[in-house]
Amino acid sequence: MYVLLNGRLTAQQELTLALPNRGFYFNDGFFETLIWAEDAIRYGGHHVARMQCAAAVLGLELPETLRNLASLQGLFRSLLAANGLSQARVRLQIWRGGSGLYTPESNTAEFLVTAQPFVLHAAPVAQADFAETVRTHPSAWAFCKGPNALTYVLAGRERQRRGLDELLLLDPAGHVAEAGAAAIFWIRAGHLYTPALTTGCVAGVRRAHLLEVAQAHGIPCTEGLYQPSELLEAEAAFTANVAALRPLTWVAGVSLASASHALLQALQNWEAS
C-alpha cells in the first residue's frame, strides 16, 4: 500500500516521520475521516469547511493542496489510483510542523494521507446506553476530530466492557451529546432533533448534511440541550457519521421502532437522491 506524506507518494513500509513530531508529542493537530466513492469525496464541501475552521482555531497554516475541494480530490485520486482503490475510507492526519515545546516555533501544517477499502456497515444498532465513565469536553476546538480523541478511546473501552453496540455520551451537565463515533439524532412528531455543538460534540459532516437535507424538505430541525429522558421519548433514533446512518433498536432498555420509521426512511432516500 502507498501513503501520501506532505503530498509525496511513499510506500507504506518505507514511511518515516522525522522527530520531534508535534502531532505525536503534543497531539498538536487534527484529522479527517473521509469516504471516497464515485470518483469524489462524499460531503466534500463540509469536510473542507471543517478543516478550515479547525486550522483557524488551532492556528495552523494549511498547505495549498488542502485548502479547496478540487485540489484535495486531486490529491486523493492519485493515492487511490496507486493503491488500485475505487472506493475507500481515507484518513487525513494534519499536525503542526517544526519543533518547540508547548509553545510552537511554526504554524505550518504537515500531513499524512492513508487509505483502505471501505466496507459499509449500516445495520441497526441492537443495544445502546448512556455512558457512565466518560463525558464530552466542550471547548473552542471540540468540534474537530483529534484534540479530544482520548475521550472516544475511553468511550470505546466502556462500550466494550459493558457489551454494548453503541455508547451515547453526555456533556458535563448531563445533556445528550453524541455517540462514540457519530452524531445522534431522534424523531418525534415529525420533528428532527440533535444535540447542539455547545455540548462538546464533533461537528460531523454527515450531521451538517442531514440537517440541510431535512430542512430542504420542510422537516423542522432543532439543535439544543436535551436530557436523556427526551431521547427515550422519541419515536425513532439513529446515529450518523460519514460512513453510515444506523437506526437504534434499544436505548437504555427502551425499545425504538427506528428502522421502520417512515420519516427516517424518507431521510435516507432523500440523502441518496
Side-chain angles (χ1 to χ4, degrees), residues 254-267:
V254 174
S255 176
L256 297 173
S258 301
S260 60
H261 195 279
L263 180 52
L264 176 49
Q265 292 178 342
L267 282 170

Side-chain angles (χ1 to χ4, degrees), residues 8-23:
R8 181 170 58 87
L9 194 65
T10 304
Q12 184 171 299
Q13 63 270 25
E14 297 175 3
L15 175 66
T16 58
L17 294 176
L19 297 178
N21 179 289
R22 294 190 61 84

Side-chain angles (χ1 to χ4, degrees), residues 4 7 30-36 39-52 62-80 90-94 111-114 205:
L4 283 170
F30 63 96
F31 69 87
E32 290 282 322
T33 303
L34 313 94
I35 301 300
W36 180 273
D39 199 38
I41 300 170
R42 287 184 185 170
Y43 321 117
H46 292 297
H47 277 292
V48 171
R50 185 170 66 181
M51 287 168 57
Q52 291 173 341
L62 295 177
E64 189 67 33
T65 51
L66 304 185
R67 294 181 187 175
N68 65 75
L69 183 57
S71 60
L72 186 65
Q73 292 193 145
L75 189 71
F76 285 11
R77 193 173 285 115
S78 66
L79 175 64
L80 299 179
V90 182
R91 181 181 173 108
L92 171 58
Q93 188 81 41
I94 299 170
F111 67 94
L112 175 69
V113 187
T114 58
V205 297

Side-chain angles (χ1 to χ4, degrees), residues 62-199:
L62 295 177
E64 189 67 33
T65 51
L66 304 185
R67 294 181 187 175
N68 65 75
L69 183 57
S71 60
L72 186 65
Q73 292 193 145
L75 189 71
F76 285 11
R77 193 173 285 115
S78 66
L79 175 64
L80 299 179
N83 286 313
L85 296 172
S86 59
Q87 186 163 292
R89 184 184 186 97
V90 182
R91 181 181 173 108
L92 171 58
Q93 188 81 41
I94 299 170
W95 64 92
R96 193 186 314 272
S99 55
L101 298 177
Y102 285 116
T103 303
E105 298 177 353
S106 170
N107 291 323
T108 301
E110 299 185 3
F111 67 94
L112 175 69
V113 187
T114 58
Q116 61 186 37
F118 172 61
V119 178
L120 179 64
H121 182 47
V125 177
Q127 294 286 344
D129 206 343
F130 298 103
E132 297 172 345
T133 63
V134 61
R135 296 202 173 188
T136 60
H137 299 274
S139 68
W141 53 85
F143 71 91
C144 62
K145 302 180 73 172
N148 290 332
L150 188 57
T151 300
Y152 307 103
V153 172
L154 296 177
R157 284 175 54 83
E158 180 184 333
R159 179 191 57 76
Q160 185 179 57
R161 175 180 57 81
R162 294 174 61 188
L164 299 169
D165 301 295
E166 185 59 272
L167 195 72
L168 305 182
L169 303 183
L170 307 178
D171 72 4
H175 303 114
V176 180
E178 60 188 337
I184 180 74
F185 287 85
W186 59 95
I187 298 168
R188 187 177 181 186
H191 201 117
L192 186 65
Y193 297 89
T194 196
L197 296 180
T198 53
T199 61

Side-chain angles (χ1 to χ4, degrees), residues 51-60:
M51 287 168 57
Q52 291 173 341
C53 288
V57 168
L58 300 179
L60 291 170

